[in-house]
Amino acid sequence: MSATTAAVPFWRAAGMTYIGYSNICAALVRNCLKEPFKSEAASREKVHFSVAKWADGKQEKPSVILVSVLRVPALHGQPGSLLLA
Amino acid sequence: MAPLGARSVSTQIVRNRMKSVKNIQKITKAMKMVAASKLRAVQTRTENSRGLWQPFTALLGDAPSVDVKKNVIVAITSDKGLCGGINSTSVKVSRALHKLTSGPEKESKYVILGEKGKVQLVRDSRSSIEMTVSELQKNPINYTQIAVLADDILKNVEYDALRVVFNKFHSVISFKPTMVTILSPEVAEKESEAGGKIGDLDAYEIEGGETKSEILQNLAEFQFSCVLYNGALENACSELGARMSAMDSSSRNAGDMLDRLTLTYNRTRQASITTELTEIISGASALEG
């Protein structure tokens, strides 16, 4: 592969994948909704699954994933600011 | 067995069996209706989600016969049983893929979604399992959940090509096992130099300050997440459809069994009545004569 050191986007440099980044952005947008739509959207955000890694044919302890993104506190009344998670 | 002191063949056993078969029939009928109502809800979402991966296939093409060193087979199965043979077909296809893609320099690993697949694959391919996921359907499947899962898989598993295996929902009675191949960005670049559909990528102009390899990387990740979302929904639909037909045939069999038992019951009952009558009549005629 070519060894260009083109500037990678900030989220890639921070170790996130594209889907991780888009997930966080989606959560931020859902947070901005007004009340009746906000609770409907919250149901589209529920994450629950249990994942277990395997090593040498043995299953390690499964971990239950419940939250999709780190909850960033909403900044009220500051419409112009950009939240960098 | 027959109760003590009974003078003829008892009808009680047959009656007990008929009661339990009738209960089973009621339960399976109820399960079929539950599956049918759930299916209606998921089916519309599945059909809508098909539009998510179609642009990817239009842009990048599908390369099922690509030959790479590290294959990861993502098998989507269900957590619950009583759904006919769909999990067995998925596992069969996954095993065949594993055989095809393993070799002297190649290796292939499994990532299994769903308990039923795990149980079957653990029996003979323990060492090739990389990760297993369960309890996916606790809440209705949504894109966020699948995106987090896809993120987890991408971060923890090394791959050159991901092959997602699931049952595609064609109709309530037809589910075909399907496989979708997603190439890692490096392999996609190599393939694009070799020509073919991906080779046409160079015909597109790239806006913004990104390079082609960056775009390919983003695209590959997004493609995996979309395909996984669609696959999970299609598999859920197929599971519900298969459960409907399994429960339907089970209630029909229970009905047939009930008919046969009723005939046996009536025959036994009539035979015992006849025996009693003959005893009474022969006793009476013995007294007279």
Side-chain angles (χ1 to χ4, degrees):
Chain A
M1 224 174 106
S2 49
T4 47
T5 44
V8 285
F10 62 92
W11 42 270
R12 184 75 66 182
M16 279 192 247
T17 56
Y18 176 74
I19 27 189
Y21 177 56
S22 80
N23 232 3
I24 296 181
C25 295
L28 287 174
V29 171
R30 277 190 212 109
N31 226 357
C32 302
L33 290 172
K34 277 207 288 200
E35 210 7 82
F37 305 106
K38 193 168 186 176
S39 22
E40 284 169 33
S43 69
R44 288 201 292 271
E45 234 188 350
K46 290 215 184 90
V47 172
H48 179 106
F49 60 88
S50 135
V51 64
K53 293 236 195 72
W54 285 61
D56 300 327
K58 274 231 186 61
Q59 184 178 8
E60 302 169 5
K61 191 157 179 292
S63 56
V64 182
I65 314 272
L66 284 173
V67 173
S68 64
V69 295
L70 289 167
R71 281 259 152 261
V72 197
L75 286 177
H76 294 293
Q78 302 188 17
S81 64
L82 176 62
L83 279 173
L84 282 178
Chain B
M1 300 311 291
L4 288 170
R7 295 183 59 227
S8 51
V9 177
S10 162
T11 57
Q12 189 176 359
I13 320 167
V14 186
R15 246 182 302 141
N16 286 341
R17 258 202 109 179
M18 278 169 61
K19 200 163 61 153
S20 60
V21 170
K22 212 188 283 192
N23 284 338
I24 291 181
Q25 192 183 28
K26 280 194 206 149
I27 293 174
T28 50
K29 264 201 189 129
M31 282 184 77
K32 173 184 171 185
M33 288 201 276
V34 165
S37 66
K38 281 195 188 163
L39 178 64
R40 255 175 279 134
V42 188
Q43 199 173 343
T44 32
R45 298 183 62 207
T46 308
E47 283 165 12
N48 292 339
S49 81
R50 287 187 186 153
L52 269 178
W53 55 259
Q54 277 157 357
F56 281 107
T57 319
L59 177 69
L60 298 170
D62 194 24
S65 53
V66 72
D67 197 17
V68 288
K69 292 223 186 63
K70 290 211 181 96
N71 279 289
V72 174
I73 302 175
V74 182
I76 308 188
T77 57
S78 62
D79 274 345
K80 301 201 191 127
L82 292 179
C83 49
I86 53 165
N87 292 324
S88 312
T89 42
S90 282
V91 167
K92 223 183 350 176
V93 169
S94 307
R95 282 209 186 111
L97 261 182
H98 182 85
K99 239 201 230 179
L100 263 179
T101 56
S102 315
E105 285 185 354
K106 313 187 278 190
E107 56 151 12
S108 135
K109 295 241 165 219
Y110 288 111
V111 169
I112 309 174
L113 274 65
E115 286 286 334
K116 293 287 160 190
K118 175 174 89 161
V119 160
Q120 288 196 35
L121 282 171
V122 149
R123 265 195 255 134
D124 58 353
S125 324
R126 286 195 86 122
S127 47
S128 322
I129 301 182
E130 188 75 40
M131 210 155 89
T132 58
V133 181
S134 51
E135 293 179 34
L136 253 185
Q137 295 216 37
K138 187 144 182 202
N139 304 322
I141 302 180
N142 55 40
Y143 182 75
T144 316
Q145 176 187 33
I146 301 285
V148 175
L149 176 59
D151 197 34
D152 214 11
I153 296 180
L154 286 172
K155 283 203 175 119
N156 290 322
V157 177
E158 285 186 24
Y159 68 99
D160 283 331
L162 284 161
R163 302 185 193 257
V164 186
V165 175
F166 57 96
N167 291 87
K168 186 160 171 156
F169 181 79
H170 288 280
S171 82
V172 179
I173 43 172
S174 142
F175 345 99
K176 301 271 165 62
T178 327
M179 172 188 85
V180 178
T181 314
I182 298 162
L183 306 170
S184 77
E186 295 91 15
V187 176
E189 273 223 61
K190 247 199 307 168
E191 291 285 316
S192 77
E193 279 151 32
K197 198 89 177 274
I198 313 189
D200 291 336
L201 260 185
D202 285 324
Y204 290 91
E205 244 186 59
I206 305 183
E207 284 187 23
E210 299 183 330
T211 64
K212 179 170 142 197
S213 50
E214 261 171 43
I215 293 199
L216 270 181
Q217 203 173 10
N218 294 346
L219 276 180
E221 293 171 357
F222 192 36
Q223 184 187 20
F224 178 47
S225 165
C226 292
V227 162
L228 201 61
Y229 178 57
N230 182 61
L233 277 177
E234 302 258 7
N235 204 56
C237 263
S238 311
E239 175 196 341
L240 288 168
R243 185 165 296 135
M244 262 179 73
S245 57
M247 292 296 105
D248 182 48
S249 55
S250 147
S251 356
R252 217 175 318 124
N253 288 343
D256 289 342
M257 202 187 262
L258 206 52
D259 288 339
R260 268 180 290 136
L261 282 172
T262 314
L263 285 175
T264 328
Y265 174 69
N266 283 334
R267 257 185 285 130
T268 332
R269 187 177 53 91
Q270 287 161 351
S272 70
I273 292 176
T274 316
T275 343
E276 280 206 44
L277 274 176
T278 24
E279 285 178 7
I280 294 172
I281 292 177
S282 49
S285 66
L287 279 177
E288 280 174 27

